[in-house]
Amino acid sequence: MSTARHGTEFTVRDAVFDFLRRTGLTTLFGNPGSTELRMFQDWPEDFTYILGLQESVAVAAAAGHAMGTGRASVVSLHSAGGVGHALGAVFNAYRDRVPLLVIAGQQSRAMLPTRPFLSADEPALFPRPYVKWSRQPERAEDVPAAFAEAYHVAMTPPRGPVFISVPEDDWGRPAHPVEPREVHAGFVGDPRALRELADALNAARNPTIIVGAGVDDDGASPAVIGLAERTGAAVWISPLSSRSGFPEDHRLFRGFLPPVRDQLARALEPYDVIVSIGAPIFTYHVHTEGPYLPDGARLFHLDCDPAQTAWAPVGTSVLTTIRAGVTALLELVEKADRPAPPPRPRLAAPPVTDPIEPALVVETLRGLMPDDAVLVEEAPSHRDALHDRLPITRPGGFLTTGSGALGWGLPVAVGRALAGTGERVVCVVGDGSSMYSIQALWTAARHGAPVTFIVLNNQAYEAVKALGRRIDIPDVPGTDLHGIDFVSVAAGLGCPGRRVDRAADLAESLSHAFGQDGPFILDVTMAAGTSSAYSSPNDSGTR
């Protein structure tokens, strides 16, 4: 058992850091303020504090770290204002099911009746509904147990962020230690429901599997590959998925479903049995009329989230953790002798022109990116080109946001690089997206994070422009971003970089960036007006 630093009395601070240490959570991300100072007293030498220069950066970097380590990360915020700044990133973490233990400082308990400067009114309600659990404990001595409960809630499927508000004078109060314990959270769906699904697959004429972010999150890719190969089912990735979950060079892979109702239903027309795994497939970005699914198709939906299975508008849902459920299903499904779908056509090489086409950047990246690199994407204008031309072939190899709140990509890439697993992280980000969290470059430089940042610079919020064109608004105000010098901005934050204006310089610049030990940024001048934003999916159904 740990002992207190001062005398023999065990404090809240001792108990909390003892619990975090025993749970393996010795890296804290944050942006500090006055109400957290007593938490920092006698800071343990075996803990690392990673500073983000804005609260949303700290939360997103913690999320990237969590996705790299596979366990929760801890992030410390400042009172009401700091939590408010961070809520966009908390929203992303909630939608992407990233386990975060979010701590917020609060003014001392004696001051709270007078609503003091910096204090949060009803702090536990502030981040809801985008946290799984939130609390400000009634008594100081309850804080360590609240940390333990929060951690287990964060790590229980569906995983996600939790929130605890701690008045500043609680940290020095007496408390009892909390022993870590195991929570085995995997569970298998109703055997009768899995039998019904297996019978449907066994009798199917032409089945398909839709893979969502939950597959990669639960480490279920090998089981899903096995299911696809056993059934001969074509495989799609769900609309706007934040991860991959299936090797995109596999013979059964068909592409990416569009987040548009009529286009999605049209892509699924060939199939009579549809199995959605860890995927909210009815996530749309723009509205169209039409059926959710083609006539006569049967949908089965496997997921660990009761809320998600409840709101799905059609189909039969099976509540199960993904790896356990698919493993059980594999024992019930017969080996099918279905012909493989025709190979996906390889797109023609893009032109080498100035200004540079986004497809050329992606093709060049495909040829030069390290084989074990982790790709982080936040370039809404160019996601189609990236998906069509750069296949993700291994679990954990792709991260993006499934919610659409910008500012996620840069700090997620930094946090993922700091997870200590050795891969280089490649962050492809739009010029507009990058400015929501450009401060993350400082954290990357400070810690020597192995990240190559590639800014696709079309000097606009091009995705917004494209969506405007879709509804006959040819010139959306407030969407031009001229005059940002990303190399100079990065240099001011300690991150070296290079501007690329000519296609002839692209390959050498990428090779140079990949050869750096720490962070490096490329500001690539792009052709404008190149985003189609779901206007017309191609024949394979990709976006």
Side-chain angles (χ1 to χ4, degrees), residues 430-442:
D431 54 331
S433 301
S434 67
M435 290 306 296
Y436 285 79
S437 54
I438 197 71
Q439 303 95 325
L441 296 178
W442 182 89

Side-chain angles (χ1 to χ4, degrees), residues 9-10 24 54 127 146 232 321 374 442 507:
E9 187 174 65
F10 206 82
Q54 202 265 0
T321 50
V374 176
W442 182 89

Side-chain angles (χ1 to χ4, degrees), residues 65-126:
H65 190 263
M67 288 186 278
T69 62
R71 59 178 182 267
S73 286
V74 185
V75 57
S76 170
L77 305 177
H78 178 48
S79 291
V83 174
H85 288 163
L87 283 181
V90 173
F91 168 72
N92 276 341
Y94 180 79
R95 287 291 177 86
D96 291 348
R97 299 182 181 179
V98 182
L100 297 179
L101 181 51
V102 181
I103 313 166
Q106 172 69 297
Q107 293 283 24
S108 64
R109 291 183 185 270
M111 296 173 66
L112 293 181
T114 62
R115 301 183 70 182
F117 185 63
L118 302 178
S119 67
D121 295 337
E122 301 189 64
L125 296 181
F126 194 8

Side-chain angles (χ1 to χ4, degrees), residues 478-529:
T479 54
D480 292 322
L481 300 176
H482 299 296
I484 302 174
D485 185 342
F486 286 94
V487 175
S488 294
V489 171
L493 294 169
C495 176
R498 177 185 295 184
R499 182 167 177 170
V500 184
D501 292 316
R502 301 190 311 142
D505 299 329
L506 182 60
E508 189 277 329
S509 296
L510 279 170
S511 296
H512 176 78
F514 291 145
Q516 307 304 301
D517 292 332
F520 195 88
I521 189 169
L522 293 178
D523 177 7
V524 184
T525 302
M526 305 295 298

Side-chain angles (χ1 to χ4, degrees), residues 18-380:
D18 182 66
F19 172 79
L20 295 176
R21 180 181 293 111
R22 294 184 182 215
T23 313
L25 306 183
T26 56
T27 299
L28 272 72
F29 294 79
N31 185 271
S34 57
T35 56
E36 294 80 64
L37 290 177
R38 298 187 193 186
M39 181 181 73
F40 299 137
Q41 185 176 350
D42 297 326
W43 181 258
E45 293 182 357
D46 57 331
F47 277 67
T48 300
Y49 187 93
I50 296 179
L51 173 62
L53 298 186
Q54 202 265 0
E55 289 88 349
S56 65
V57 169
V59 170
H65 190 263
M67 288 186 278
T69 62
R71 59 178 182 267
S73 286
V74 185
V75 57
S76 170
L77 305 177
H78 178 48
S79 291
V83 174
H85 288 163
L87 283 181
V90 173
F91 168 72
N92 276 341
Y94 180 79
R95 287 291 177 86
D96 291 348
R97 299 182 181 179
V98 182
L100 297 179
L101 181 51
V102 181
I103 313 166
Q106 172 69 297
Q107 293 283 24
S108 64
R109 291 183 185 270
M111 296 173 66
L112 293 181
T114 62
R115 301 183 70 182
F117 185 63
L118 302 178
S119 67
D121 295 337
E122 301 189 64
L125 296 181
F126 194 8
R128 293 187 182 184
Y130 298 115
V131 291
K132 291 183 65 181
W133 177 101
S134 60
R135 185 169 302 167
Q136 180 171 285
E138 295 295 328
R139 305 179 305 165
E141 55 263 46
D142 298 331
V143 169
F147 266 81
E149 181 180 356
Y151 168 76
H152 292 303
V153 172
M155 290 296 292
T156 301
R159 302 192 303 177
V162 295
F163 176 83
I164 182 168
S165 172
V166 183
E168 61 177 333
D169 53 336
D170 282 6
W171 293 102
R173 302 285 187 184
H176 295 290
V178 175
E179 291 295 331
R181 62 188 186 88
E182 292 291 329
V183 175
H184 297 282
F187 60 92
V188 180
D190 185 339
R192 293 173 299 176
L194 292 174
R195 179 74 266 176
E196 179 186 357
L197 170 53
D199 290 344
L201 282 170
N202 292 335
R205 172 184 50 81
N206 189 20
T208 187
I209 294 170
I210 300 173
V211 172
V215 171
D216 194 56
D217 185 50
D218 199 23
S221 293
V224 172
I225 293 169
L227 180 65
E229 292 177 345
R230 180 176 289 271
T231 60
V235 177
W236 296 83
I237 290 179
S238 64
L240 301 174
S241 179
S242 62
R243 305 199 190 178
S244 180
F246 194 86
E248 296 169 21
D249 59 350
H250 195 282
R251 60 185 176 83
L252 294 173
F253 182 66
R254 304 311 298 149
F256 303 84
L257 291 172
V260 184
R261 183 189 294 191
D262 60 343
Q263 295 177 11
L264 188 150
R266 190 159 57 248
L268 296 176
E269 281 180 353
Y271 310 108
D272 58 336
V273 174
I274 301 166
V275 184
S276 174
I277 304 177
I281 67 169
F282 303 108
T283 298
Y284 305 125
H285 191 188
V286 295
H287 177 68
T288 60
E289 298 293 340
Y292 292 108
L293 297 172
D295 289 342
R298 295 184 67 189
L299 170 67
F300 294 86
H301 173 223
L302 276 64
D303 198 73
C304 63
D305 185 356
Q308 185 168 292
T309 59
W311 69 251
V314 296
T316 298
S317 292
V318 183
L319 193 62
T320 182
T321 50
I322 303 304
R323 183 169 47 181
V326 175
T327 300
L329 184 62
L330 271 170
E331 298 179 0
L332 304 174
V333 173
E334 300 168 0
K335 175 68 175 175
D337 186 22
R338 295 186 178 93
R344 299 179 73 208
R346 182 78 165 90
L347 297 177
V352 181
T353 59
D354 296 320
I356 302 169
E357 292 290 332
L360 180 64
V361 178
V362 177
E363 284 285 346
T364 309
L365 183 61
R366 178 179 183 173
L368 295 175
M369 191 169 71
D371 290 339
D372 64 346
V374 176
L375 180 65
V376 178
E377 176 267 324
E378 191 176 76

